[in-house]
Amino acid sequence: MTSELDKMRAGDWYCSLDPEIDAIRMRVFDAVHRHNMALPSERGDIHPDLRALLPEVHETARIEGQFHLLYGNLKMAEGAFMNVGCVVLDAAQVEIGRNAMLGPQVQIYCPDHHRDPVKRGQLIERALPVTIGKDVWIGGGAILLPGVTIGDGAIVGAGSVVTKDVAPGARVAGNPARDLTQR
């Protein structure tokens, strides 16, 4: 029998209310809390307890405080930066490329809730990965929806809602985000 965690990791529909999933989430929540509550001079780029749960985050990556993360499915390459208040709902893999910069309050959503209201009420969801390329700039308050990829060198305007992939080098803004380089 396949566990709910196995289904989550495979990108299949799963129930997010599961003891095995809850245990992972609680371990990450505790480390994130320590990261957020530490004095910045003691925290460094990433609090040691949080860094221990994120083996695929480069030593030069930085996450500012008031950060939120669910499961630890986060990869950050060299020089990647998340400003204050970023929210990463990483039920699937979130990958942030080299020198990518995320402004304050950027939100990355991997969970995709079921369209059937009965199943949605039973907390049935699936998780789709989000990928951010190298040298990307995401403006403050932008929201990236499940399954999107932001191509290398792209710029996402502040407050934008990204509902589909962004081409490398593109500039997008708005709700939904639209390509400004085509105008």
Side-chain angles (χ1 to χ4, degrees), residues 135-139 149-158 160-162 164-183:
D135 301 313
V136 169
W137 176 21
I138 300 178
T149 295
I150 311 296
D152 293 347
I155 297 173
V156 175
S160 297
V161 178
V162 180
K164 59 185 179 179
D165 291 352
V166 175
R171 293 179 182 196
V172 301
N175 181 3
R178 291 184 175 85
D179 192 341
L180 302 177
T181 54
Q182 303 296 321
R183 295 180 180 188

Side-chain angles (χ1 to χ4, degrees), residues 42-117:
E42 295 172 0
R43 178 181 65 225
D45 289 337
I46 300 173
H47 190 278
D49 291 351
L50 182 56
R51 186 173 290 286
L53 295 177
L54 303 174
E56 297 192 66
V57 170
H58 193 273
E59 64 186 29
T60 62
R62 181 174 180 85
I63 301 173
E64 291 291 347
Q66 305 317 304
F67 168 71
H68 188 74
L69 185 71
L70 291 178
Y71 300 107
N73 296 321
L74 177 63
K75 294 181 182 181
M76 291 177 73
E78 177 183 356
F81 173 74
M82 276 194 234
N83 212 320
V84 298
C86 288
V87 173
V88 182
L89 303 184
D90 62 326
Q93 187 70 58
V94 172
E95 189 166 342
I96 301 172
R98 182 174 42 87
N99 298 323
M101 296 173 51
L102 282 66
Q105 308 296 324
V106 167
Q107 300 174 53
I108 301 171
Y109 303 153
C110 293
D112 180 32
H113 299 284
H114 209 286
R115 303 310 180 263
D116 178 324

